[in-house]
Amino acid sequence: MIKSSFVISLVILIGTVALSWGLKDVYAQGTQSSQTFKIIVEVTNNGNLDEYGTIHVSIDGSRSPVITNNLIFPAFQTSSYPFTFSSSDVPVGKGFTVEVVYGDDEIKRVYGTNTPSNAPEVASITIP
């Protein structure tokens, strides 16, 4: 009887520890989003034809931009594309460049800065 009580107590203890570790993991995942910097690229196509292209987002001082290829920019519509970076790579005050390459290598470019607003930065580009 004493052995079975000990085993039950041990199982409850292990379950409680495992549950608390699991909650810590959930909490860590929840706070991780505050450690990211997001840029939302809004591309407005005012033309009467769909355009196809690429978006490049580069952080000032970085050697490798984040690139998304094979995008469609529908005619007479605005499309949004999110780009996420580590906030340690893009501290407040750090600049960034967004380029949209479309059609026959037409390029539109905008510049922005990570502001202290703690909200995603929006980079708006209008094509044709």
Side-chain angles (χ1 to χ4, degrees), residues 38-122:
K38 187 179 280 191
I39 299 170
I40 301 187
V41 179
E42 292 182 343
V43 179
T44 301
N45 181 357
N46 287 330
N48 58 1
L49 297 174
D50 292 350
E51 293 286 350
Y52 300 86
T54 300
I55 297 175
H56 303 179
V57 178
S58 59
I59 305 304
D60 290 357
S62 173
R63 294 182 146 187
S64 54
V66 176
I67 300 171
T68 302
N69 294 308
N70 304 318
L71 298 172
I72 298 173
F73 309 120
F76 302 115
Q77 292 184 32
T78 299
S79 303
S80 296
Y81 305 93
F83 290 81
T84 304
F85 300 88
S86 170
S87 59
S88 64
D89 294 336
V90 192
V92 172
K94 186 92 166 178
F96 60 88
T97 304
V98 176
E99 292 180 337
V100 174
V101 182
Y102 66 98
D104 292 329
D105 290 330
E106 297 288 328
I107 298 174
K108 297 280 183 136
R109 184 178 295 132
V110 296
Y111 303 94
T113 304
N114 183 4
T115 62
S117 68
N118 217 13
E121 300 295 333
V122 177

